[in-house]
Amino acid sequence: MMMQRITSQRGFSLLEVLVAFVVLALVGTALFRLFGGAMNNAASADAWSRAVQVAQNQLAQASVMQPLRAMSANGRDGDVQWALKVEPYNPPALEGETSQPAESPTYRMFRLEVDVRFPGVANKDRTFALETLKISQIEQPGQP
């Protein structure tokens, strides 16, 4: 009768419960690492997006100045530092060409460049530069 009672009881042994907890802990650790990495990637993408937005904004503001003229400016927008440079642009001579193309007396090409620096991972700053060319009317003497 005693033999019958022992074999008819059902349940998990202590060893089976411990193995289940170890497997659950390993799966949980892997998932936390996966989600942690995804959160870091999302934060990094957000920082890059913000920095690009600041750079594009500075280029857009500089390009609407009429007439354009050589200048430089720098500033900070939150944790994003930027430096803007506007300078006359002289295109390189084409192969076989001995002189530069003649410029229109009322228009000139300008090169606009913005350098951006923002905090990255492991206390290393990230940097990039955007540049564009813009044609602008030249400031004429006596013109307001």
Side-chain angles (χ1 to χ4, degrees):
M1 191 155 196
M2 183 69 120
M3 231 14 189
Q4 226 175 13
R5 191 183 311 163
I6 292 176
T7 57
S8 66
Q9 291 181 354
R10 293 203 157 65
F12 296 108
S13 70
L14 182 59
L15 184 60
E16 291 171 329
V17 170
L18 287 175
V19 168
F21 276 132
V22 167
V23 169
L24 183 64
L26 291 174
V27 169
T29 302
L31 286 176
F32 282 134
R33 280 189 172 171
L34 178 71
F35 289 133
M39 293 298 287
N40 285 341
N41 288 343
S44 178
D46 185 47
W48 275 100
S49 177
R50 172 99 172 94
V52 168
Q53 184 179 27
V54 167
Q56 288 176 334
N57 187 33
Q58 292 305 317
L59 284 177
Q61 285 180 0
S63 68
V64 296
M65 290 188 316
Q66 288 299 325
L68 273 175
R69 60 185 173 279
M71 62 162 279
S72 63
N74 56 22
R76 182 180 207 87
D77 191 345
D79 57 352
V80 179
Q81 297 175 5
W82 55 268
L84 174 71
K85 185 168 44 171
V86 179
E87 57 190 15
Y89 177 74
N90 296 316
L94 297 174
E95 191 175 320
E97 204 173 71
T98 58
S99 65
Q100 292 286 335
E103 285 191 3
S104 166
T106 56
Y107 290 95
R108 173 134 198 188
M109 191 175 295
F110 287 86
R111 179 176 165 265
L112 289 73
E113 179 182 13
V114 64
D115 292 314
V116 176
R117 178 180 301 273
F118 62 101
V121 234
N123 295 327
K124 283 187 167 183
D125 282 350
R126 295 180 173 181
T127 60
F128 69 93
L130 295 181
E131 68 179 63
T132 188
L133 297 176
K134 177 87 175 167
I135 295 176
S136 176
Q137 197 169 14
I138 295 176
E139 207 169 358
Q140 300 293 327
Q143 190 181 28

